[in-house]
Amino acid sequence: MSTIILGIESSCDDTSAAIIKDGILLSNVIASQSVHEEYGGVVPELASRAHQQNIVPVVDTAIKRAGIEKADLSAIAFTRGPGLLGSLLVGTSFAKGLSLGLRIPIVDVNHLHGHVLSHFIRRNPDDTVPEYPFICLLISGGNSQIILVKNYNDMEVLGQTIDDAAGEAFDKCAKVMGLPYPGGPHIDRLATEGDASRFKFSKPHIPGLNYSFSGLKTSFLYTLRDAKKLDPDFIEKNKADLAASLQRTIIEILLDKLKKAIDLTGVKTVAIGGGVSANSGVRQAIADYCDKHGLNAFIPERAFTTDNAAMVAIAGYYKYLAGDFCHYNAVPYARITI
């Protein structure tokens, strides 16, 4: 009998549902929320309300696109955290209700585990996936971590940000430049047109494998503030070069600690995950470094870099096979380490 998992993701501002059958992705539906753009960031109350409106049609669409019936489901996997509590509550409650109605188990998934395990999402049985152990550089708006992945349920954080994450640095600096939210994709686009060596920004000197991006953000802000005193149109005239220089600096910070982690562990496989792994500069830098040093690189499809239910479904699939189910008294959580 086939194992069919419905995955539900509602940790932030994207409502998503996916179906995985015997480890193969059948559908992955995402409803994004444009309502937050005018506020320059996600508004939690608006996000949870939008999830309530979207979750039923999104799940229904995922099931129909997969060509299955609700009765075919083996279990329901849902993101329990970390994330926005109101948003998580919508997904958690829906998963519990549908589970009770269908009399099938539920599986809770750590959102960060989902990003790491996104490399195991397969569209075809012969798709290549990483072999354990491997290093995963998890980079998003809320997290920057270097993780030693020993198994689907055995992950060790080797280093992480002590303040801002890489995604926050992109978005906050983009906001200062007057770019729309989210700013990361706009920085990425502009960087292809600019001179990455034009501006120099501060880099952190943090011991070990931990990251810091607050100093870079401050250096960027001061550069713009001082330049605007001399030329009010400085940002507009230099947007591309600013973006390219910012992106280069962030990539250098990320790679510096990643290289140390690789040397420390001796692991020969490197993967990246999270929203910032969609950045073209980051993707190319990782691919080039791994190619130069004879390492196996796993760079996810852009569709699996941002929040999506396919990663929740694949994480839930492995937990289901291990009989690792969730109790109905489980509540969502806002923060947790890997």
Side-chain angles (χ1 to χ4, degrees):
M1 179 180 292
S2 295
T3 298
I4 303 178
I5 305 296
L6 165 64
I8 296 174
E9 157 61 20
S10 67
S11 64
C12 191
D13 61 335
D14 286 331
T15 312
S16 183
I19 301 292
I20 280 182
K21 178 180 180 180
D22 296 331
I24 306 299
L25 182 66
L26 300 184
S27 66
N28 187 39
V29 179
I30 302 174
S32 299
Q33 302 175 5
S34 59
V35 66
H36 307 284
E37 293 176 2
E38 62 180 295
Y39 299 99
V42 177
V43 181
E45 178 62 25
L46 295 180
S48 59
R49 290 182 183 181
H51 282 302
Q52 288 179 314
Q53 295 173 340
N54 293 337
I55 194 163
V56 171
V58 165
V59 169
D60 183 60
T61 301
I63 290 173
K64 288 179 179 177
R65 287 185 183 176
I68 66 167
E69 301 291 336
K70 294 190 293 293
D72 298 326
L73 295 174
S74 305
I76 302 168
F78 66 96
T79 300
R80 187 177 169 192
L84 302 175
L85 279 178
S87 296
L88 290 166
L89 187 60
V90 175
T92 300
S93 300
F94 184 89
K96 290 179 180 179
L98 187 57
S99 166
L100 287 168
L102 297 176
R103 298 185 178 181
I104 57 176
I106 50 174
V107 180
D108 61 322
V109 172
N110 181 319
H111 181 78
L112 305 184
H113 284 191
H115 277 301
V116 174
L117 296 177
S118 64
H119 297 280
F120 293 86
I121 300 170
R122 293 180 297 157
R123 297 186 186 275
N124 301 289
D126 57 350
D127 286 347
T128 304
V129 298
E131 293 185 1
Y132 299 115
F134 65 91
I135 292 283
C136 182
L137 176 61
L138 177 58
I139 37 178
S140 66
N143 299 279
S144 292
Q145 297 181 324
I146 300 175
I147 304 164
L148 177 61
V149 186
K150 305 171 187 177
N151 210 318
Y152 84 92
N153 61 349
D154 187 1
M155 305 182 192
E156 178 185 356
V157 175
L158 303 179
Q160 59 188 333
T161 184
I162 61 174
D163 42 55
D164 287 349
E168 288 177 292
F170 274 122
D171 286 342
K172 291 178 180 178
C173 291
K175 187 174 183 178
V176 175
M177 291 172 62
L179 298 175
Y181 173 85
H186 296 284
I187 293 290
D188 190 16
R189 174 181 54 79
L190 286 168
T192 62
E193 307 167 4
D195 178 2
S197 63
R198 172 86 183 282
F199 298 102
K200 305 294 182 183
F201 303 115
S202 297
K203 296 181 182 178
H205 299 283
I206 307 298
L209 299 178
N210 285 337
Y211 285 115
S212 171
F213 290 96
S214 63
L216 166 63
K217 182 185 65 177
T218 301
S219 173
F220 187 86
L221 178 63
Y222 284 169
T223 297
L224 266 59
R225 184 196 64 181
D226 294 342
K228 286 176 65 177
K229 290 179 180 178
L230 301 175
D231 182 1
D233 298 322
F234 172 80
I235 295 177
E236 191 61 35
K237 293 177 181 178
N238 298 279
K239 272 187 177 180
D241 290 347
L242 286 167
S245 299
L246 173 67
Q247 181 163 289
R248 172 188 54 79
T249 306
I250 291 178
I251 291 172
E252 289 175 352
I253 294 171
L254 290 171
L255 275 177
D256 177 62
K257 295 301 177 80
L258 179 61
K259 293 174 184 177
K260 292 179 180 179
I262 294 169
D263 292 340
L264 179 67
T265 61
V267 170
K268 298 299 182 182
T269 299
V270 177
I272 57 175
V276 180
S277 66
N279 180 280
S280 58
V282 171
R283 296 166 75 89
Q284 190 62 54
I286 295 295
D288 290 345
Y289 178 79
C290 290
D291 182 62
K292 180 179 179 180
H293 295 276
L295 303 173
N296 297 316
F298 281 86
I299 299 173
E301 293 182 31
R302 280 189 166 86
F304 301 143
T305 58
T306 54
D307 295 346
N308 66 91
M311 68 183 193
V312 177
I314 194 63
Y317 172 72
Y318 288 117
K319 293 188 73 172
Y320 175 85
L321 294 181
D324 188 1
F325 305 134
C326 178
H327 295 291
Y328 287 105
N329 60 0
V331 296
Y333 48 78
R335 296 180 180 276
I336 195 170
T337 61
I338 203 90

